Structures are given as C-alpha cells and as structure tokens.
C-alpha cells in the first residue's frame, strides 16, 4: 500500500462518523417562502404529498406513508398489523434502541435472536427454534445496509403464519435483484433522521404492498381522524410537516451524488484496509445495491489492538468512530433479564458487539483525513 506521510496531528476539528446531507440555504429559503405563502405548514400538505409520491419511485415500492420520525413509523407499523397484545416478536439485539422499544411500547414481548457473523443481520436459521404458539411477528433489521435473508424469513413467516416487519433505517434506495428492499415483508420502515443518507431533518416512512393498510396507517398516524366527524381508530400524531417534506424534496435531488462520493470514500478505504491482517470488511451481497450508509470494519484477535483500544486511539486524534451496536439491546437494563437475552442464546452478537467499529463515512470527508485514518489502521502501534 501507499506510505502515508505521518500527519496524525492534522485533525484539528472533531471528525464524526457522519455529516448531514444539507441542501443550500438559498434553496431552503425558497421552499420556506412557498410554505409561508401557502399558510399550510403541516397536516398532509402539498409538499408532504409530493414527497410521498416521489418516494414511491425512488424506493420502488407500491405504497408510502410519511412520518415525523422513524421510531413513530415503526411503532405504527406494529400497531397497524393488529398483533395480539402480549404476544412475542422475534427480533435482533444488534440494532438501535428504537427497534425493541417499539415492540415493547406496543405491549409485545421482544424475543432476541442471534445474528449472522458476516452481515450481522438476524440469523434466519436460528429463528424457528424461538417460535412458540405465542409468537406473532418477526422484526428484522437490514443493519448497516446489509439486507436480511428476506427469502428465508419469508418462508418461515408463511410456514408459521407470522407477520414480518423490516427496520430499514439503513437501507434508503437499496435494491435486491432490482427490487426495492421496501417491497419485502408486510411493512418496511425507513428513517430520514439527520444521520441517515437521505434526511428530512427528522422523519421516516412506511412502505407496504397491501393497499388496505393505507387507510389503517393514515388513521393511526393522525389521531384516528378520517374526516371532520369521523374518528375511526386510536391513533397518535405521526405526521410529517411541510418543512421536513421540503427538505426531503431538496435532498432527493442530492442523495445520489452523495452516494457517488461515498462510493469513492469506500473505494479508498477498501484499497487501503483490505490487506491489513486482523481487520475484515463485511461485504455486500452481489445481488444487492449499497445504500452507503455505514462503513463498518471487524477487528479480529490477530490485530495488535482490540476494538476498544482502536476506538480510544482514534479519539485521541479527534476522530470519533462509533462502536455500533455496543451495547447490544439485550444488554440494556430494561431487557437484560429476558430469557432470550442470555449470552448462550446470542453467542455471535455478543462476539461482534466487541469487534465492530464504524469509520467516518460521508462524501465530503477529506483525502487528508482518510489518509490519517488508514495510516492509524495500518500502523496502530
Ligand atoms: C436501526 C434503526 N432503527 C430505528 C431508528 C430510529 O429512527 P429515527 O431516529 O428516525 O426515529 C434508527 C436510527 O435513528 C436506527 O438506526
């Protein structure tokens, strides 16, 4: 590999794992003027409806319902499927807190399933042994942008009459064999949080094939209010406002360029990291497009530093990597006593949680910083 010039002191400002995709202030002001002029700032306005329509083709899905954030969207997805109160939902511990919390907030019991070592998504081969007569659904996460084994999960769900919800917070625009990833399962949630590739500051959506879910989800997102005098369901407030939608419309024009820049960052990392003994780079399956949401590496026993030591080393030079997803959700105070949280049930997840490190990954990451990161990885001691 190229020898980098040592410039480890060059990082003066903190480098974070990501940076939000920001449209120009001029373009935002233009949108704000239009919104102010219309005097319609929330409640399914024109920008909201336009964004939902455009997302159908960007995500290659049949139905899109927009939300004020991904967590409320996921909460609503579980509600919309009318799962029996108190029933068990099989999920992964290797995810963000929102995933099991949404299960629990619906009065359902999260049951943690182990993950695959390569993609760190739920291990479909381990799902069936967790199914009981009380199981109602599977909530799987396309973690870091790696797709779950959607075919195997689909087969298991059909065999046991279970609903499938995908947490697709990390897979904006991902396709499997040319099909939008949001087409799989009963419902998929996408997050449009500021840290995501495509953002509406805060926001999210649900995608689904069953047209009948549209009215149900509309109601659940809008206090159950269908019309002035008709309240049909026990809904909450999950509406995306016009300013969020406007930022989304602007970012729709920018996200592909950002993906291209991230592809270059990925190439640079791949080239300079892939030969390092003790570091492995999880690979995207051939039939899947990359969302370019994260760049995780896995630290093996034969690397001179542990993952935590490497994280600390980067911190001393102002480079803030992330130990996603450490701790596991099954380690949280609120879930650690569940039977499925035992280490015996989750050997792979408990191993990878101590090995994964997400590197800074965004289009405007400078070449200098990239060189420094790769230099540290190549010569950690
Ligand atoms: C895997 C996963 N699920 C759910 C969420 C929650 O989404 P939001 O922040 O839009 O509520 C996030 C991240 O924010 C996430 O990473």
């Amino acid at each position: 590999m190229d020898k980098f010039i040592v410039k480890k002191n060059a990082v003066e400002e903190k480098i974070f794992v990501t940076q939000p995709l920001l449209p120009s202030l001029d373009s935002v002001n233009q949108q704000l003027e239009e919104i102010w002029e219309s005097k319609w700032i929330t409640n399914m306005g024109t920008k909201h409806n336009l964004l939902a329509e455009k997302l159908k083709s960007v995500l290659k899905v049949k139905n899109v319902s927009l939300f004020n954030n991904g967590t409320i969207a996921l909460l609503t997805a579980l509600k919309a499927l009318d799962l029996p109160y108190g029933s068990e939902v099989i999920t992964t511990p290797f995810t963000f807190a929102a995933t099991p919390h949404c299960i629990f907030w619906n009065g359902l019991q999260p049951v943690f399933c182990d993950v695959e070592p390569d993609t760190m998504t739920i291990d479909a081969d381990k799902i069936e042994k967790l199914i009981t007569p009380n199981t109602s659904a599977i909530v799987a996460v396309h973690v870091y942008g790696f797709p779950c084994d959607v075919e195997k999960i689909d087969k298991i769900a059909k065999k046991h009459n279970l609903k499938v919800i995908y947490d697709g917070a990390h897979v904006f625009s991902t396709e499997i064999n040319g099909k939008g990833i949001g087409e799989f399962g009963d419902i998929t949630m996408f997050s449009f949080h500021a840290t995501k590739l495509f953002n509406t500051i805060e926001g999210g959506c649900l995608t689904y094939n069953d047209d009948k879910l549209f009215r149900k989800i509309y109601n659940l997102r809008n206090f159950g209010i269908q019309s002035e005098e008709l309240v049909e369901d026990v809904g909450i407030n999950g509406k995306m406002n016009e300013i969020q939608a406007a930022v989304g419309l602007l970012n729709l024009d920018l996200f592909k360029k950002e993906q291209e820049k991230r592809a270059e960052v990925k190439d640079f990392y791949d080239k300079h990291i892939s030969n390092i003994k003790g570091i492995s780079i999880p690979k995207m399956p051939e039939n899947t497009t990359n969302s370019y949401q994260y760049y995780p590496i896995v630290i093996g026993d034969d690397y001179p530093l542990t993952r935590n030591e490497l994280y600390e080393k980067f911190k001393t030079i102002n480079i803030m990597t992330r130990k996603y997803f450490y701790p596991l959700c099954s380690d949280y105070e609120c879930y650690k006593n569940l039977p499925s949280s035992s280490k015996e049930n989750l050997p792979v997840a408990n191993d990878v949680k101590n090995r994964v490190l997400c590197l800074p990954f965004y289009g405007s990451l400078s070449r200098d910083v990239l060189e420094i990161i790769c230099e540290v990885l190549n010569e950690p001691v």
Side-chain angles (χ1 to χ4, degrees):
M1 62 153 272
D2 307 339
K3 257 291 176 226
F4 299 126
I5 312 153
V6 177
K7 5 175 163 147
K8 287 182 195 168
N9 293 327
V11 187
E12 279 166 11
E13 280 182 16
K14 273 193 179 147
I15 299 292
F16 294 103
V17 89
T18 195
Q19 260 185 15
L21 185 60
L22 292 173
S24 73
L25 264 183
D26 279 351
S27 63
V28 174
N29 280 333
Q30 168 71 34
Q31 290 281 325
L32 287 178
E33 275 175 25
E34 287 172 25
I35 295 168
W36 258 234
E37 185 71 26
S38 76
K39 301 195 171 44
W40 191 308
I41 59 176
T42 188
N43 286 7
M44 283 64 89
T46 48
K47 297 204 184 288
H48 167 282
N49 295 342
L50 182 61
L51 180 62
E53 213 41 48
K54 287 196 169 188
L55 280 170
K56 281 188 201 168
S57 59
V58 173
L59 298 174
K60 289 196 175 176
V61 291
K62 202 167 168 216
N63 294 290
V64 170
S65 299
L66 296 178
F67 281 80
N68 49 5
N69 64 59
T71 303
I72 298 290
L74 189 57
L75 202 61
T76 305
L78 283 149
K79 197 75 175 168
L81 294 174
D82 282 328
L83 306 173
Y85 192 79
S87 62
E88 292 165 13
V89 176
I90 298 174
T91 191
T92 167
F94 196 73
T95 181
F96 184 62
T99 317
H101 288 353
C102 286
I103 296 171
F104 204 84
W105 269 52
N106 266 287
L108 304 163
Q109 277 293 327
V111 174
F112 294 113
C113 179
D114 207 5
V115 298
E116 288 182 4
D118 295 339
T119 62
M120 292 162 274
T121 57
I122 196 165
D123 187 339
D125 289 332
K126 293 184 179 170
I127 291 177
E128 275 196 291
K129 74 172 190 333
L130 297 169
I131 295 175
T132 72
N134 200 22
T135 306
S136 60
I138 299 167
V139 173
V141 182
H142 302 301
V143 72
Y144 301 135
F146 300 115
C148 299
D149 191 336
V150 289
E151 277 172 22
K152 222 177 249 175
I153 291 173
D154 185 53
K155 264 194 203 139
I156 295 168
K158 285 206 171 89
K159 182 171 159 199
H160 297 273
N161 195 24
L162 305 176
K163 300 289 185 193
V164 177
I165 296 173
Y166 285 110
D167 178 332
H170 304 169
V171 282
F172 187 81
S173 84
T174 293
E175 292 174 21
I176 303 176
N177 289 324
K179 204 170 155 180
I181 198 164
E183 289 255 297
F184 295 92
D186 292 283
I187 306 183
T188 297
M189 179 279 283
F190 291 86
S191 164
F192 305 152
H193 183 258
T195 52
K196 302 297 184 283
L197 168 80
F198 167 80
N199 81 80
T200 57
I201 307 174
E202 292 267 4
C205 79
L206 295 181
T207 65
Y208 43 95
N209 294 320
D210 181 358
D211 295 337
K212 287 198 291 300
L213 280 173
F214 183 83
R215 190 175 179 112
K216 179 86 183 164
I217 290 172
Y218 181 98
N219 283 338
L220 290 175
R221 186 187 53 177
N222 187 39
F223 315 99
I225 298 174
Q226 182 59 221
S227 67
E228 252 179 83
E229 296 187 5
L230 180 61
V231 180
E232 276 187 341
D233 214 332
V234 187
I236 50 169
N237 182 358
K239 290 172 278 119
M240 176 183 279
N241 68 49
E242 286 292 274
I243 300 175
Q244 289 174 293
V247 171
L249 287 168
L250 295 171
N251 275 340
L252 268 192
D253 290 336
L254 304 180
F255 88 91
K256 281 208 179 107
K257 186 90 205 136
E258 172 66 13
Q259 278 181 321
E260 280 164 27
K261 288 195 205 150
R262 289 186 189 197
E264 285 169 22
V265 172
K266 180 182 180 314
D267 285 348
F268 189 92
Y269 275 144
D270 284 352
K271 181 166 171 233
H272 295 104
I273 299 174
S274 52
N275 291 328
I276 301 177
K277 194 163 171 265
I279 294 186
S280 53
I281 307 166
K283 298 257 174 316
M284 195 62 67
E286 297 248 304
N287 60 350
T288 305
T289 62
N290 197 332
S291 64
Y292 296 102
Q293 175 64 56
Y294 287 109
Y295 192 97
I297 57 172
V298 181
I299 309 303
D301 288 334
D302 44 354
Y303 191 70
L305 299 184
T306 63
R307 188 277 310 274
N308 286 355
E309 287 165 346
L310 185 58
Y311 166 86
E312 292 298 336
K313 173 137 199 152
F314 275 125
K315 214 165 154 187
T316 61
I317 57 165
N318 263 348
I319 293 174
M320 313 305 286
T321 57
R322 290 298 298 262
K323 302 183 206 175
Y324 286 137
F325 282 96
Y326 177 90
L328 297 176
C329 298
S330 48
D331 294 332
Y332 297 174
E333 286 300 309
C334 44
Y335 302 124
K336 68 178 187 191
N337 293 325
L338 294 175
S340 63
S341 293
S342 72
K343 293 211 164 36
E344 297 73 51
N345 184 46
L346 307 167
V348 178
N350 274 287
D351 183 52
V352 293
K353 75 175 182 189
N354 295 318
R355 298 188 182 281
V356 177
L357 195 66
C358 286
L359 301 180
F361 194 49
Y362 49 89
S364 59
L365 205 53
S366 75
R367 173 85 184 211
D368 277 356
V369 172
L370 278 172
E371 288 186 0
I372 291 165
I373 293 170
C374 292
E375 182 189 315
V376 170
L377 292 169
N378 274 279
E379 289 170 33
V381 284

